[in-house]
PDB file of all heavy atoms in Angstrom:
ATOM      1  N   SER A 946      75.754 110.804  94.390  1.00 91.00           N
ATOM      2  CA  SER A 946      76.421 109.625  93.839  1.00 91.00           C
ATOM      3  C   SER A 946      77.867 109.497  94.303  1.00 91.00           C
ATOM      4  O   SER A 946      78.375 110.322  95.046  1.00 91.00           O
ATOM      5  CB  SER A 946      76.420 109.696  92.311  1.00 91.00           C
ATOM      6  OG  SER A 946      77.486 110.521  91.893  1.00 91.00           O
ATOM      7  N   ARG A 947      78.503 108.453  93.774  1.00 91.00           N
ATOM      8  CA  ARG A 947      79.901 108.164  94.059  1.00 91.00           C
ATOM      9  C   ARG A 947      80.868 109.297  93.701  1.00 91.00           C
ATOM     10  O   ARG A 947      82.005 109.282  94.131  1.00 91.00           O
ATOM     11  CB  ARG A 947      80.347 106.966  93.224  1.00 91.00           C
ATOM     12  CG  ARG A 947      79.854 105.617  93.648  1.00 91.00           C
ATOM     13  CD  ARG A 947      80.135 104.704  92.474  1.00 91.00           C
ATOM     14  NE  ARG A 947      79.916 103.303  92.727  1.00 91.00           N
ATOM     15  CZ  ARG A 947      78.752 102.696  92.525  1.00 91.00           C
ATOM     16  NH1 ARG A 947      77.702 103.374  92.171  1.00 91.00           N
ATOM     17  NH2 ARG A 947      78.661 101.393  92.714  1.00 91.00           N
ATOM     18  N   ARG A 950      83.269 111.210  96.210  1.00 95.00           N
ATOM     19  CA  ARG A 950      84.592 110.781  96.705  1.00 95.00           C
ATOM     20  C   ARG A 950      85.721 111.402  95.872  1.00 95.00           C
ATOM     21  O   ARG A 950      86.812 111.655  96.391  1.00 95.00           O
ATOM     22  CB  ARG A 950      84.715 109.246  96.731  1.00 95.00           C
ATOM     23  CG  ARG A 950      84.197 108.561  95.511  1.00 95.00           C
ATOM     24  CD  ARG A 950      84.601 107.115  95.329  1.00 95.00           C
ATOM     25  NE  ARG A 950      84.049 106.081  96.138  1.00 95.00           N
ATOM     26  CZ  ARG A 950      83.531 104.933  95.651  1.00 95.00           C
ATOM     27  NH1 ARG A 950      83.406 104.765  94.346  1.00 95.00           N
ATOM     28  NH2 ARG A 950      83.154 103.969  96.438  1.00 95.00           N
ATOM     29  N   MET A 974      68.410 106.932  87.066  1.00 92.00           N
ATOM     30  CA  MET A 974      69.578 106.594  86.248  1.00 92.00           C
ATOM     31  C   MET A 974      70.363 107.874  85.932  1.00 92.00           C
ATOM     32  O   MET A 974      69.847 108.986  86.083  1.00 92.00           O
ATOM     33  CB  MET A 974      69.150 105.973  84.909  1.00 92.00           C
ATOM     34  CG  MET A 974      68.295 104.751  85.033  1.00 92.00           C
ATOM     35  SD  MET A 974      69.249 103.414  85.728  1.00 92.00           S
ATOM     36  CE  MET A 974      68.024 102.150  85.787  1.00 92.00           C
ATOM     37  N   ALA A 975      71.575 107.640  85.386  1.00 94.00           N
ATOM     38  CA  ALA A 975      72.335 108.787  84.878  1.00 94.00           C
ATOM     39  C   ALA A 975      71.713 109.205  83.546  1.00 94.00           C
ATOM     40  O   ALA A 975      71.210 108.358  82.805  1.00 94.00           O
ATOM     41  CB  ALA A 975      73.783 108.373  84.670  1.00 94.00           C
ATOM     42  N   HIS A 987      78.483 106.308  83.263  1.00 96.00           N
ATOM     43  CA  HIS A 987      78.358 106.270  84.725  1.00 96.00           C
ATOM     44  C   HIS A 987      79.262 107.325  85.352  1.00 96.00           C
ATOM     45  O   HIS A 987      80.315 107.651  84.820  1.00 96.00           O
ATOM     46  CB  HIS A 987      78.781 104.898  85.268  1.00 96.00           C
ATOM     47  CG  HIS A 987      77.855 103.803  84.860  1.00 96.00           C
ATOM     48  ND1 HIS A 987      78.241 102.485  84.795  1.00 96.00           N
ATOM     49  CD2 HIS A 987      76.555 103.824  84.500  1.00 96.00           C
ATOM     50  CE1 HIS A 987      77.212 101.750  84.404  1.00 96.00           C
ATOM     51  NE2 HIS A 987      76.181 102.540  84.219  1.00 96.00           N
ATOM     52  N   ALA A 988      78.840 107.812  86.500  1.00 96.00           N
ATOM     53  CA  ALA A 988      79.664 108.790  87.216  1.00 96.00           C
ATOM     54  C   ALA A 988      80.403 108.078  88.357  1.00 96.00           C
ATOM     55  O   ALA A 988      79.885 107.105  88.887  1.00 96.00           O
ATOM     56  CB  ALA A 988      78.763 109.872  87.793  1.00 96.00           C
ATOM     57  N   PRO A 989      81.573 108.552  88.713  1.00 97.00           N
ATOM     58  CA  PRO A 989      82.226 109.760  88.233  1.00 97.00           C
ATOM     59  C   PRO A 989      83.040 109.524  86.961  1.00 97.00           C
ATOM     60  O   PRO A 989      83.469 108.403  86.674  1.00 97.00           O
ATOM     61  CB  PRO A 989      83.181 110.098  89.387  1.00 97.00           C
ATOM     62  CG  PRO A 989      83.543 108.764  89.978  1.00 97.00           C
ATOM     63  CD  PRO A 989      82.322 107.919  89.840  1.00 97.00           C
ATOM     64  N   GLU A1000      85.629 105.095  86.364  1.00 97.00           N
ATOM     65  CA  GLU A1000      85.867 104.186  87.496  1.00 97.00           C
ATOM     66  C   GLU A1000      86.537 104.960  88.618  1.00 97.00           C
ATOM     67  O   GLU A1000      87.700 105.391  88.494  1.00 97.00           O
ATOM     68  CB  GLU A1000      86.750 102.985  87.130  1.00 97.00           C
ATOM     69  CG  GLU A1000      86.017 101.824  86.506  1.00 97.00           C
ATOM     70  CD  GLU A1000      84.916 101.206  87.366  1.00 97.00           C
ATOM     71  OE1 GLU A1000      85.061 101.157  88.608  1.00 97.00           O
ATOM     72  OE2 GLU A1000      83.909 100.784  86.796  1.00 97.00           O
ATOM     73  N   SER A1001      85.833 105.093  89.713  1.00 97.00           N
ATOM     74  CA  SER A1001      86.373 105.931  90.784  1.00 97.00           C
ATOM     75  C   SER A1001      87.731 105.453  91.292  1.00 97.00           C
ATOM     76  O   SER A1001      88.596 106.271  91.585  1.00 97.00           O
ATOM     77  CB  SER A1001      85.368 106.104  91.917  1.00 97.00           C
ATOM     78  OG  SER A1001      84.645 104.953  92.154  1.00 97.00           O
ATOM     79  N   GLU A1037      84.636  98.684  95.580  1.00 98.00           N
ATOM     80  CA  GLU A1037      83.792  98.500  94.397  1.00 98.00           C
ATOM     81  C   GLU A1037      83.685  97.022  93.992  1.00 98.00           C
ATOM     82  O   GLU A1037      82.689  96.619  93.410  1.00 98.00           O
ATOM     83  CB  GLU A1037      84.319  99.326  93.219  1.00 98.00           C
ATOM     84  CG  GLU A1037      84.084 100.818  93.359  1.00 98.00           C
ATOM     85  CD  GLU A1037      82.605 101.221  93.334  1.00 98.00           C
ATOM     86  OE1 GLU A1037      81.826 100.663  92.548  1.00 98.00           O
ATOM     87  OE2 GLU A1037      82.234 102.109  94.127  1.00 98.00           O
TER      88      GLU A1037
HETATM   89  N1  GSH B1884      82.386 101.075  89.694  1.00 96.08           N
HETATM   90  C1  GSH B1884      82.005 102.364  89.153  1.00 96.08           C
HETATM   91  C2  GSH B1884      80.505 102.522  89.327  1.00 96.08           C
HETATM   92  C3  GSH B1884      79.937 103.712  88.607  1.00 96.08           C
HETATM   93  C4  GSH B1884      78.446 103.852  88.836  1.00 96.08           C
HETATM   94  O1  GSH B1884      77.677 102.890  88.771  1.00 96.08           O
HETATM   95  N2  GSH B1884      78.031 105.091  89.123  1.00 96.08           N
HETATM   96  C5  GSH B1884      76.647 105.363  89.408  1.00 96.08           C
HETATM   97  C6  GSH B1884      76.559 106.570  90.333  1.00 96.08           C
HETATM   98  S1  GSH B1884      76.758 106.201  92.015  1.00 96.08           S
HETATM   99  C7  GSH B1884      75.882 105.734  88.176  1.00 96.08           C
HETATM  100  O2  GSH B1884      76.400 106.400  87.300  1.00 96.08           O
HETATM  101  N3  GSH B1884      74.610 105.338  88.149  1.00 96.08           N
HETATM  102  C8  GSH B1884      73.682 105.761  87.177  1.00 96.08           C
HETATM  103  C9  GSH B1884      73.286 104.688  86.219  1.00 96.08           C
HETATM  104  O3  GSH B1884      73.719 103.529  86.372  1.00 96.08           O
HETATM  105  O4  GSH B1884      72.534 105.011  85.286  1.00 96.08           O
HETATM  106  C10 GSH B1884      82.806 103.449  89.890  1.00 96.08           C
HETATM  107  O5  GSH B1884      83.240 103.223  91.006  1.00 96.08           O
HETATM  108  O6  GSH B1884      83.013 104.517  89.310  1.00 96.08           O
END
Side-chain angles (χ1 to χ4, degrees):
S946 82
R947 286 166 172 90
R950 44 165 73 131
M974 303 292 179
H987 293 156
E1000 276 300 325
S1001 37
E1037 287 294 320

